[in-house]
Amino acid sequence: MKLSIIIVNYNVKYFLEQCLKSILASNIAFNYEIFIVDNNSTDGSIEYLKGKFRQSNIHFIENKTNPGFAKANNQAIKLAEGEYILLLNPDTIVGENVLSNVCRFMDSKPQSGAVGVKMIDGSGQFLPESKRGFPTPWASFCKIFGLASIFPKSVFWGGYNLLYLDEDSIHQVPILAGAFMMIRKEALDKAGLLDEAFFMYGEDIDLSYRIELAGYKNYYLPERIIHYKGKSTNKNDSKYTNAFYGAMQIFYSKYYPHDKLFSIFVSTGIKTKVMIEQLAGKLKVSKPKKNISEDNIVTFNTNDLSYEEIINKMDSNQNKSIEYRIE
């Protein structure tokens, strides 16, 4: 078994359906398996997907509660037989050659512990979390207080998202995103499973760091995928806001346990950020939702174009006012 693909689902059956279709359309000349771990979805995901995907290499794990992203991935990792383990979000679409190309890259570099790719959103915009720096106290300060946003391509201020690195070139980077993270099973055995103290968010930063501590290197490849980003979470929900910034606190408590001053700074910054985001969320909820104009919707059909061709067109025609859809 060359590759084990693990997808954690929570109430996004239509996105996951499209994700699975793109995987099954891939040019893969090796054995692979897919694990779908459902975290107690209430949208009928399991029944819907089981009715559409009956392939023998697709396995379903049905949780009766929502144990979180890290624990759900670990459930499947323990069953996986692949030389490589791919953590993949359900709201992603891969091009036909992405999986083969990433596996081939890892084959050529035995020191590679994990590999991430170039992710674009539904408007074709590059997602900066595709490659990140280690969240040092300084990088985190710039991120929390907005300095990284003001000077995004500065080596000094922008160490969190590494936007000064060319998004279309190969780089060795410290941190990869769990939305697409292909890991060498051997490296995972040495580094350990995902830390289940993280309910969601932050577990990819922690695992990326531990893979490097185990003696491997993490790489970013400019292989393009779509990541619709956050479709299974409500960004106005305080539970998820707290989970996002709480993950940072877990990370710093774990790796900077004796730096009390920095701990206070991080805690204060996170609490301030949570309050601002929750206030902004309430203001957004009170406003009427704007409908997307039909003129701003561009629909691609997979009968006319391959997934790879669609993704390349989106990447070449980035436009925040446009919403790309695939049928």
Side-chain angles (χ1 to χ4, degrees):
M1 186 70 68
K2 187 74 172 179
L3 177 64
S4 297
I5 302 170
I6 299 173
I7 306 172
V8 177
N9 176 64
Y10 183 66
N11 292 330
V12 285
K13 61 184 179 184
Y14 297 121
F15 281 97
L16 179 49
E17 176 186 11
Q18 198 170 66
C19 175
L20 290 171
K21 285 181 176 179
S22 72
I23 294 172
L24 295 172
S26 295
N27 299 319
I28 297 177
F30 48 76
N31 290 332
Y32 72 99
E33 60 186 355
I34 301 172
F35 289 92
I36 297 169
V37 188
D38 186 78
N39 274 353
N40 198 31
S41 294
T42 57
D43 66 344
S45 285
I46 289 295
E47 296 80 5
Y48 179 80
L49 294 166
K50 278 186 173 180
K52 287 183 172 289
F53 300 97
R54 302 178 183 274
Q55 289 81 355
S56 60
N57 65 334
I58 298 181
H59 313 287
F60 291 88
I61 298 174
E62 303 174 44
N63 288 324
K64 302 305 179 184
T65 60
N66 184 352
F69 182 78
K71 189 169 184 176
N73 272 297
N74 286 343
Q75 286 178 274
I77 290 172
K78 292 171 184 177
L79 301 173
E81 298 181 355
E83 178 184 352
Y84 302 127
I85 307 289
L86 173 61
L87 307 184
L88 185 67
N89 268 33
D91 53 350
T92 57
I93 294 176
V94 300
E96 283 78 1
N97 296 301
V98 169
L99 299 178
S100 291
N101 288 346
V102 176
C103 284
R104 192 176 299 114
F105 177 85
M106 295 192 78
D107 286 344
S108 70
K109 291 190 177 294
Q111 76 275 25
S112 61
V115 171
V117 296
K118 178 178 179 177
M119 300 187 293
I120 61 174
D121 65 15
S123 297
Q125 304 288 311
F126 173 70
L127 292 171
E129 60 265 32
S130 299
K131 51 178 173 60
R132 288 173 287 181
F134 184 78
T136 62
W138 175 246
S140 301
F141 174 87
C142 294
K143 169 71 173 176
I144 292 173
F145 291 97
L147 295 171
S149 297
I150 298 172
F151 309 103
K153 295 197 174 184
S154 164
V155 175
F156 184 70
W157 304 100
Y160 192 90
N161 283 326
L162 306 180
L163 291 178
Y164 53 84
L165 296 179
D166 180 14
E167 66 189 56
D168 291 315
S169 299
I170 297 173
H171 300 286
Q172 183 185 336
V173 297
I175 307 298
L176 301 172
F180 183 111
M181 188 175 184
M182 191 176 290
I183 310 163
R184 188 179 299 276
K185 182 61 162 57
E186 174 190 291
L188 197 55
D189 290 339
K190 292 181 180 178
L193 298 177
L194 281 76
D195 187 338
E196 295 178 11
F198 298 92
F199 181 80
M200 62 185 299
Y201 308 124
E203 69 290 314
D204 48 1
I205 298 175
D206 175 73
L207 182 57
S208 295
Y209 182 48
R210 285 190 284 115
I211 287 172
E212 287 200 332
L213 290 178
Y216 295 88
K217 297 177 181 178
N218 299 323
Y219 287 93
Y220 164 86
L221 300 187
E223 294 286 336
R224 298 166 178 81
I225 73 165
I226 301 169
H227 179 206
Y228 289 106
K229 194 177 179 183
K231 294 302 180 182
S232 61
T233 62
N234 177 4
K235 297 304 180 183
N236 296 324
D237 189 330
S238 61
K239 180 174 73 171
Y240 291 106
T241 302
N242 280 298
F244 181 79
Y245 292 107
M248 294 181 70
Q249 247 175 328
I250 294 171
F251 183 86
Y252 291 118
S253 296
K254 185 174 180 178
Y255 295 107
Y256 294 90
H258 305 300
D259 194 334
K260 300 299 182 184
L261 182 62
F262 181 61
S263 179
I264 293 171
F265 151 71
V266 169
S267 178
T268 303
I270 288 171
K271 287 176 182 177
T272 303
K273 197 78 170 177
V274 168
M275 289 174 59
I276 293 172
E277 295 231 346
Q278 288 178 344
L279 178 60
K282 289 178 182 178
L283 293 174
K284 286 180 183 177
V285 170
S286 64
K287 293 179 181 179
K289 188 176 180 180
K290 293 182 181 179
N291 293 322
I292 299 171
S293 167
E294 290 296 325
D295 295 334
N296 291 337
I297 297 174
V298 177
T299 302
F300 295 111
N301 194 306
T302 52
N303 291 324
D304 303 321
L305 297 168
S306 69
Y307 286 106
E308 193 167 278
E309 288 170 332
I310 292 169
I311 293 169
N312 288 340
K313 282 182 177 291
M314 290 173 59
D315 186 39
S316 299
N317 299 285
Q318 303 176 17
N319 191 328
K320 289 183 180 180
S321 64
I322 290 179
E323 180 180 301
Y324 291 105
R325 295 180 182 177
I326 301 175
E327 293 181 348

